[in-house]
């Protein structure tokens, strides 16, 4: 056999390698990682449902078990990966170029590792070096703007957004939202314009306020009592014995406790607060332009063509 697997011990080594990678895959996709911090980070990435990233994660695991990455570096690279994927999702950047891109990232990081370089720094620099391309990582400013203005209710990762924001305040004891008891709640209800109380609270420009803010981040929270709160006026939603905002223990709803009016100003102020928190939860890597430039591939310059004359021929 030309590939050498007929040599003594080669097949056994191949089977060991397959088993090792199967273990990486189980950690990534099935929550089998024994390290709690890594398990939580991998679970968050899996919730984004971008399977083309899995080979990249497996390469991280291989470097980690091979001592090319420290635990802190590995965890940091997982956080950066989550940020990269989620920022692109919020900002509606297409994912159809990621398959080939992640393959190229694996190859480039392999060179850095073999040369004894800083793999974590190289990874962040490679992502930041794609600015202006289809593989770019949206900036904090773009992420913040999209979070405040986009439709987060119809957003397929809206529940992930709200639950991850909530659990950012419960890092040591995260809440379990997997049972299906919680759903997204509109504070200003979807039928607000059919209510005299809500129209009065939103004032004369109620149609514009409603159309502009109804499904945005500032007007959305989480509740296990969606049907109980329903389309009630804001004061009733606060005072309700089951799931009322005054009794709500979720930090994401805490700012509603002290409010008597839920209008344009209140919705926009809450969107600002939550977006600022999101910038901390899904951070943009901080590297200098010089460091980013140092990891960009060097373009090969084609040799200059000699000018030819009839005499030379």
């Amino acid at each position: 056999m030309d590939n050498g697997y007929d040599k003594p011990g080669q097949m056994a080594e191949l089977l060991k390698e397959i088993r090792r990678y199967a273990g990486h895959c189980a950690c990534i996709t099935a929550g089998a990682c024994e390290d709690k911090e890594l398990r939580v980070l991998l679970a968050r990435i899996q919730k984004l449902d971008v399977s083309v990233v899995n080979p990249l994660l497996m390469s991280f695991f291989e470097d980690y078990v091979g001592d090319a990455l420290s635990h802190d570096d590995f965890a940091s690279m997982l956080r950066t990966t989550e940020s990269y994927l989620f920022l692109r999702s919020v900002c509606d950047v297409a994912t159809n170029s990621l398959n080939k891109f992640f393959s190229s990232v694996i190859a480039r990081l392999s060179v850095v590792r073999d040369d004894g370089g800083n793999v974590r720094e190289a990874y962040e620099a490679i992502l930041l070096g794609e600015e202006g391309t289809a593989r770019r990582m949206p900036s904090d400013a773009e992420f913040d703007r999209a979070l405040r203005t986009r439709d987060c209710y119809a957003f397929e990762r809206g529940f992930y957004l709200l639950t991850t924001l909530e659990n950012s305040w419960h890092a040591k004891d995260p809440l379990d939202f997997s049972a299906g008891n919680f759903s997204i709640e509109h504070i200003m209800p979807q039928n607000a314009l059919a209510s005299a109380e809500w129209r009065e609270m939103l004032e004369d420009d109620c149609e514009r306020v409603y159309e502009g803010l109804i499904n945005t981040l500032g007007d959305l929270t989480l509740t296990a009592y969606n049907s109980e709160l329903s389309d009630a006026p804001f004061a009733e939603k606060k005072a309700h014995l089951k799931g009322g905002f005054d009794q709500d223990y979720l930090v994401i709803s805490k700012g509603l406790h002290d409010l008597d009016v839920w209008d344009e100003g209140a919705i926009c102020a809450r969107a600002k607060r939550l977006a600022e928190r999101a910038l901390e939860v899904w951070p943009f890597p901080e590297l200098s332009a010089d460091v980013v430039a140092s990891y960009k591939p060097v373009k090969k310059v084609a040799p200059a063509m000699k000018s030819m004359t009839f005499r030379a021929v």
Side-chain angles (χ1 to χ4, degrees), residues 82-236:
E82 182 191 5
S83 290
Y84 177 74
L85 295 175
F86 188 57
L87 265 62
R88 287 173 58 88
S89 179
V90 169
C91 298
D92 290 325
V93 183
T95 62
N96 54 5
S97 64
L98 292 186
N99 199 354
K100 291 182 179 178
F101 175 56
F102 287 148
S103 295
S104 72
V105 172
I106 293 171
R108 291 169 67 182
L109 291 182
S110 177
V111 173
V112 173
R113 180 197 63 226
D114 293 344
D115 290 343
N118 188 327
V119 177
R120 171 180 170 178
E121 180 182 80
Y123 179 52
E124 294 177 356
I126 289 171
L127 297 183
L128 297 183
E130 294 298 325
E131 183 181 4
T133 75
R135 301 166 298 279
R136 67 187 176 84
M137 185 172 189
S139 66
D140 279 350
E142 185 180 358
F143 182 45
D144 177 77
R145 182 169 59 253
L147 277 172
R148 294 201 211 185
T149 58
R150 69 160 297 144
D151 184 331
C152 288
Y153 184 65
F155 180 38
E156 61 179 344
R157 297 182 177 95
F159 190 73
Y160 162 87
L161 164 62
L162 294 173
T163 54
T164 307
L165 278 175
E166 176 61 33
N167 273 332
S168 70
W169 283 288
H170 311 283
K172 293 185 178 180
D173 188 22
L175 304 176
D176 184 5
F177 291 101
S178 63
N181 297 325
F182 282 83
S183 60
I184 298 177
E185 163 74 5
H186 287 83
I187 303 169
M188 171 180 61
Q190 290 175 296
N191 292 324
L193 294 183
S195 163
E197 292 92 337
W198 275 107
R199 292 183 73 93
E200 182 179 353
M201 181 167 287
L202 297 174
E203 299 182 332
D204 295 340
D205 212 6
C206 58
E207 286 88 357
R208 179 189 61 81
V209 175
Y210 174 88
E211 292 296 335
L213 300 176
I214 183 58
N215 291 322
T216 58
L217 178 62
D219 191 50
L220 302 178
T221 189
L222 297 165
T223 184
Y225 300 94
N226 199 296
S227 60
E228 285 84 354
L229 298 178
S230 189
D231 298 332
F234 184 58
E236 290 183 24

Side-chain angles (χ1 to χ4, degrees), residues 283-295:
F284 189 85
E286 295 183 6
L287 286 179
S288 70
D290 290 342
V291 171
V292 173
S294 70
Y295 286 98

Side-chain angles (χ1 to χ4, degrees), residues 61-78:
F61 253 111
E62 189 69 357
D63 285 347
Y64 176 55
V65 299
D67 294 326
L69 282 179
S70 69
H71 181 278
D72 287 347
D73 284 344
F74 186 21
S76 175
M77 290 169 73
L78 291 178

